[in-house]
Amino acid sequence: MHILLTGSSGWLGRFLAPRLRAAGHKVTGLDVAPGPDTDILGSVGDRNAVDRAFEQGIEAVIHAGALHKPDIVRYPPQAFIDINVTGTLNLLAAAKAAGHDRFVFTSTTSLMVSQTIRDESGEAAIWLDEASGPLVPRNIYGVTKLAAEGLCRLYAAEHGLSCVVLRTARFFPEDDDTHRMPSGENLKANEFLNRRLTVEDAADAHIVALERAPALGFETFILSAPTPFDRADASELKRDASAVIARYFPDAPMLYAKRGWTLPASLGRVYDWRHAERRLGFRCSTGFAEVLNALREGRAMPFAHDPSYLSPKEQIAT
């Protein structure tokens, strides 16, 4: 198929485009920033740019381009609406007009996190799956991504366009923009317990979603590394996460100590990955067990960590 990939110069796009070509697809990349996989410079919020892309004979869309949570300090709310909502509508309308049978949308688990969930004030870790709700996003990023999901649902229901929504957990390479302790690499390693996946796994999931979309119709999936925990662990995870981790991984405290790292003392929420395995047929290949294996063997971490990473759109803005 000839795939339109939005966000082709971004962190996910640079991993996804080569995988699409390796799977036998032709890729046309659309992004506001230049890059090796970007063929058309333009914004999804510009219907003319979208139309130019579709003139190339596009047969399916993977919509990975967006403004993200760190962009909140850089762009006004209207920009999030223009890109994340109007941009998605532009692509859906063009896909419908072209008679497409599949559309894959990159969403975020962030839209599931209300301020109450973020505050983690309860007595047990909150278990988040596709049935969790009501959804009350805490910022403009989450609000616009949830609205875009609604548009995908609408086009599936009213126009028969099969849409797969992938709510990805964290996979960015840079340091967290709100948490500084523990250090970036230590924090990322910890997050594989409950709220992170590798960018490679995120890209692979999009390939699977593209293939499976017509059989699924409309479906939403959480993408996160397989958590070792069970719902029955929720109270103890909030009270003493380190003890729970040591029960599942007895040598984890020693491996972390040798690296000078700290295990989380408390976990306030866990993303459940199981629906994606059951229904989509996808399971992340890298989880916390692989992180510990790298520590045991003295290898590099199986995830990307780049504190200096700056998105291509911000590179051209500076």
Side-chain angles (χ1 to χ4, degrees):
M1 285 183 292
H2 188 172
I3 312 300
L4 174 63
L5 173 62
T6 71
S8 50
S9 295
W11 179 242
L12 177 60
R14 71 176 65 177
F15 288 86
L16 186 46
R19 281 167 162 76
L20 285 167
R21 289 193 293 267
H25 301 296
K26 180 180 179 181
V27 180
T28 291
L30 171 65
D31 203 301
V32 295
D37 298 300
T38 294
D39 306 282
I40 299 173
L41 286 176
S43 167
V44 293
D46 177 0
R47 183 58 192 263
N48 290 329
V50 170
D51 289 342
R52 288 201 311 273
F54 271 76
E55 289 170 0
Q56 309 300 312
I58 298 302
E59 297 172 288
V61 175
I62 296 181
H63 180 25
L67 289 183
H68 299 281
K69 190 259 184 182
D71 291 316
I72 291 174
V73 299
R74 306 179 184 123
Y75 297 89
Q78 186 63 51
F80 281 81
I81 294 170
D82 295 341
I83 302 302
N84 294 356
V85 182
T86 303
T88 303
L89 180 59
N90 287 341
L91 291 162
L92 287 165
K96 171 190 172 287
H100 289 184
D101 68 346
R102 69 197 73 197
F103 188 102
V104 179
F105 176 59
T106 311
S107 190
T108 173
T109 53
S110 178
L111 63 80
M112 304 175 68
V113 182
S114 65
Q115 189 60 49
T116 299
I117 293 174
R118 189 176 189 274
D119 290 342
E120 299 183 351
S121 58
E123 296 182 355
I126 298 173
W127 214 265
L128 292 168
D129 61 18
E130 290 80 359
S132 297
L135 300 179
V136 188
R138 70 187 187 279
N139 54 41
I140 190 65
Y141 171 53
V143 166
T144 54
K145 294 296 273 189
L146 182 58
E149 284 191 7
L151 290 172
C152 291
R153 184 187 299 274
L154 185 67
Y155 266 72
E158 294 190 349
H159 305 295
L161 176 59
S162 296
C163 295
V164 177
V165 173
L166 301 178
R167 289 180 182 166
T168 63
R170 295 174 158 210
F171 59 83
F172 54 80
E174 66 266 38
D175 283 333
D176 189 287
D177 62 345
T178 55
H179 297 92
R180 295 292 178 235
M181 296 298 290
S183 64
E185 198 172 37
N186 185 172
L187 179 62
K188 286 184 173 65
N190 290 354
E191 289 175 340
F192 277 90
L193 289 161
N194 67 323
R195 59 182 300 199
R196 179 168 282 274
L197 73 164
T198 65
V199 65
E200 293 88 352
D201 278 331
D204 288 341
H206 282 71
I207 305 294
V208 174
L210 182 71
E211 296 168 351
R212 295 272 294 131
L216 293 169
F218 178 84
E219 195 87 46
T220 299
F221 298 101
I222 290 174
L223 296 182
S224 192
T227 178
F229 309 126
D230 188 82
R231 288 177 186 263
D233 297 317
S235 293
E236 191 178 359
L237 282 171
K238 185 62 190 300
R239 186 174 62 254
D240 189 358
S242 297
V244 183
I245 296 164
R247 188 162 67 243
Y248 282 92
F249 304 100
D251 64 343
M254 178 269 293
L255 292 169
Y256 261 54
K258 288 177 65 176
R259 186 73 174 246
W261 284 1
T262 58
L263 289 166
S266 175
L267 291 177
R269 62 184 182 268
V270 177
Y271 295 128
D272 193 331
W273 50 276
R274 292 173 178 85
H275 181 59
E277 182 174 58
R278 289 190 302 263
R279 180 84 171 134
L280 183 61
F282 179 80
R283 178 188 174 111
C284 292
S285 61
T286 299
F288 190 68
E290 286 69 35
V291 170
L292 293 184
N293 284 340
L295 289 174
R296 291 186 192 102
E297 298 168 11
R299 294 184 285 105
M301 287 295 101
F303 57 83
H305 175 62
D306 181 3
S308 65
Y309 177 80
L310 187 66
S311 71
K313 68 178 174 55
E314 295 311 309
Q315 292 179 30
I316 63 174
T318 56

